[in-house]
């Protein structure tokens, strides 16, 4: 397969999928409350949520900065110029999507709204089905053996 046939995504799906999930969780929480997330002490779960959220934002900034330093488009609508395997990409092939998922989970802990956990799972599943296969085809067509080697040694999420 040549690199011109395996084009990158046409739309920035993952940010839109996670945003839709967050909005959906907020709306669902207003209209149909699930059982609240149980907490032994009132400040424990929000503290866990803030910790996860801080880690997610830090991971996202680190990944975006790594891409920008390597002059590679942050959104997958642009053609990849370089195969980035450093920074957080050493540990995860999709650190930005991992950060989005963790941030959505953090919102669930912070707000006590269990819909955020469902939204995180559904957004992760939709990203896995709608976005990642196209991205991987593009990277494989563009970088060939180097990408295959990277994919074998680096897990998709963590």
């Amino acid at each position: 397969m040549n690199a011109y046939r395996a084009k990158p995504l046409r739309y920035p799906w993952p940010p839109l999928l996670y945003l839709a999930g967050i909005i959906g969780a907020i709306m669902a929480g207003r209209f149909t409350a699930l059982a609240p997330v149980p907490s032994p002490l009132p400040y424990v779960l929000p503290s866990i949520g803030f910790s996860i959220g801080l880690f997610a934002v830090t991971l996202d900034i680190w990944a975006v900065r790594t891409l920008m330093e390597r002059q590679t488009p942050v959104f997958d609508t642009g053609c990849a110029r370089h195969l980035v395997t450093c920074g957080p990409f050493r540990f995860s092939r999709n650190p930005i999507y991992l950060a989005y998922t963790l941030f959505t989970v953090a919102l669930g802990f912070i707000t006590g709204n269990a819909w955020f956990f469902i939204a995180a799972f559904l957004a992760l599943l939709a990203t896995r089905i709608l976005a990642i296969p196209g991205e991987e085809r593009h990277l494989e067509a563009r970088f060939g053996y180097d990408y295959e080697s990277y994919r074998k040694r680096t897990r998709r999420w963590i």
Side-chain angles (χ1 to χ4, degrees), residues 58-115:
T58 303
L59 177 62
D60 188 48
I61 291 169
W62 185 23
V64 167
R65 192 170 171 174
T66 301
L67 290 174
M68 292 173 75
E69 287 171 353
R70 303 301 182 277
Q71 299 173 344
T72 298
V74 174
F75 287 112
D76 293 322
T77 55
C79 188
R81 292 186 187 100
H82 305 283
L83 179 62
V84 179
T85 61
C86 58
F89 294 91
R90 285 179 293 177
F91 312 108
S92 170
R93 293 195 318 256
N94 300 108
I96 294 174
Y97 303 157
L98 177 60
Y100 292 166
T101 304
L102 290 173
F103 186 77
T104 307
V105 167
L107 291 174
F109 281 115
I110 292 167
T111 64
N113 180 350
W115 285 105

Side-chain angles (χ1 to χ4, degrees), residues 33-61:
L34 294 176
V37 180
S39 176
L41 299 171
Y43 58 86
V44 171
L45 290 181
S47 297
I48 292 170
F50 280 113
S51 298
I52 294 171
L54 180 63
F55 177 75
V57 169
T58 303
L59 177 62
D60 188 48
I61 291 169

Side-chain angles (χ1 to χ4, degrees), residues 139-152:
L139 292 171
E140 186 173 6
R142 189 103 166 104
F143 302 108
Y145 177 77
D146 290 337
Y147 179 69
E148 287 180 35
S149 175
Y150 170 65
R151 190 172 61 196
K152 286 179 184 174

